[in-house]
Amino acid sequence: MTIGWIGTGIMGLSMCSHLMDGGYEAVVYNRTAAKAQALVDKGAKLAASPREVASACDVVFTMVGYPSDVEEVYFGENGIFKGIRKGSIVVDMTTTKPSLAERIYAKAQEIGCEALDAPVSGGDSGARNACLSIMVGGDQSTLDKVMPMLKLMGTSIILEGAAGAGQHTKMANQIQITGTMIGMSEALLYAKKAGLDLKTMVDTISKGAAGCHALNNLAPRVIKGDYNPGFIINHFIKDMGIALEEAKRMGIELKGVELVESLYRKLQEAGGGAEGTQALVKALGEF
């Protein structure tokens, strides 16, 4: 079977590569074609547009940046829905608005296709090691069809509910992560000012109740002064914005998210939007 993959950035490149390693032929597209070259070298066919990808494949995965990118990739003049074949499946793995996931599902149904929203958690290391958590919205029958493919990318694949439920679950995930990111950053700052050996401190507290992805994977990067992105600040600000927008619509306040978003915006305004989310520690003062 030939699969389509649109979006070959930090996450998408590894995820598509796993599918190819699993025996699937791939047609790929990225706005910056050079970012797809590693997949082309591996045997993928490079398409000129999302429309061309959709016209050649039975299952199309998308992993792009922002809701506006998803909108263009699916509904644009050269988008997926201009070229998709009846009976095809689209799987959007971008973190985007639940309402947009619902629109994609409705349009797919209208033209005789199927759709899932399937955002992921696990960062660049999860993508490289095929151990992502995949949160799915849509129909069980559709998930059953693509489950063998998703298993090549993740170790936890759970249907959360109807279309949009995967995105709502990802928002809950991102809300939780805001807490662990500020906790990790303040713990490192405190420990440094207290004169502790940071590596020993992290090794110690990560074995107890404080243990989390941020401590295990990101704190060691901070200690080394490595702020290269596994997940960039610009995209995390986007995610927090969606969460805050949805919370407002529901009539609830997310005070912790508001605080962390303000700190990340401080870094973004200083030109650090392309750094990894672990750079949050810089917003707390000299580290």
Side-chain angles (χ1 to χ4, degrees):
M1 178 187 291
T2 300
I3 58 99
W5 194 281
I6 297 169
T8 57
I10 293 172
M11 303 285 287
L13 184 66
S14 293
M15 294 162 75
C16 183
S17 182
H18 292 316
L19 291 176
M20 294 178 69
D21 289 341
Y24 294 97
E25 296 183 357
V27 178
V28 300
Y29 170 79
N30 197 76
R31 282 183 302 188
T32 305
K35 291 185 177 181
Q37 190 59 48
L39 295 173
V40 173
D41 292 343
K42 195 170 183 172
K45 178 183 176 182
L46 183 65
S49 67
R51 181 176 185 166
E52 184 177 324
V53 173
S55 68
C57 303
D58 298 311
V59 180
V60 179
F61 293 88
T62 53
M63 186 65 165
V64 294
Y66 297 89
S68 58
D69 298 321
V70 176
E71 181 92 27
E72 181 65 24
V73 160
Y74 279 90
F75 296 98
E77 189 58 38
N78 286 304
I80 289 169
F81 286 133
K82 294 294 185 180
I84 198 167
R85 303 183 298 204
K86 188 174 182 179
S88 296
I89 299 172
V90 294
V91 183
D92 184 27
M93 306 191 82
T94 314
T95 298
T96 187
K97 296 181 178 181
S99 59
L100 183 51
E102 292 168 3
R103 280 184 58 209
I104 292 170
Y105 176 88
K107 180 64 175 180
Q109 292 283 301
E110 177 188 319
I111 60 177
C113 296
E114 300 174 68
L116 296 172
D117 51 286
V120 304
S121 182
D124 59 335
S125 61
R128 285 195 307 271
N129 297 317
C131 59
L132 293 167
S133 172
I134 305 175
M135 308 154 227
V136 184
D139 299 325
Q140 181 67 56
S141 58
T142 306
L143 177 56
D144 291 342
K145 293 174 185 177
V146 300
M147 183 63 84
M149 302 173 202
L150 296 180
K151 284 183 175 179
L152 292 172
M153 297 181 277
T155 51
S156 173
I157 304 153
I158 298 174
L159 183 67
E160 307 294 342
Q167 297 296 348
H168 279 302
T169 303
K170 181 61 185 290
M171 287 303 104
N173 183 85
Q174 300 304 76
I175 292 164
Q176 170 67 21
I177 287 174
T178 61
T180 61
M181 291 303 297
I182 190 66
M184 176 200 75
S185 299
E186 291 188 337
L188 287 170
L189 180 63
Y190 177 91
K192 182 172 183 178
K193 296 300 181 183
L196 297 178
D197 180 86
L198 297 184
K199 184 178 184 303
T200 300
M201 181 277 294
V202 169
D203 287 345
T204 300
I205 71 170
S206 64
K207 303 298 190 298
C212 62
H213 177 85
L215 275 178
N216 292 335
N217 295 280
L218 299 180
R221 300 186 192 185
V222 174
I223 293 169
K224 294 175 184 176
D226 177 6
Y227 299 106
N228 290 317
F231 185 50
I232 69 171
I233 288 171
N234 287 335
H235 286 171
F236 197 29
I237 289 174
K238 175 261 296 184
D239 294 353
M240 288 184 285
I242 295 171
L244 291 170
E245 181 182 317
E246 289 295 320
K248 183 177 180 180
R249 184 181 62 80
M250 297 174 188
I252 59 175
E253 292 184 306
L254 302 175
K255 293 297 187 182
V257 178
E258 290 175 3
L259 169 62
V260 176
E261 187 208 30
S262 71
L263 293 172
Y264 274 117
R265 285 199 179 278
K266 178 181 175 181
L267 294 172
Q268 186 183 55
E269 290 163 6
E275 288 191 305
T277 52
Q278 69 271 24
L280 179 61
V281 69
K282 295 181 180 181
L284 303 180
E286 186 177 349
F287 181 77

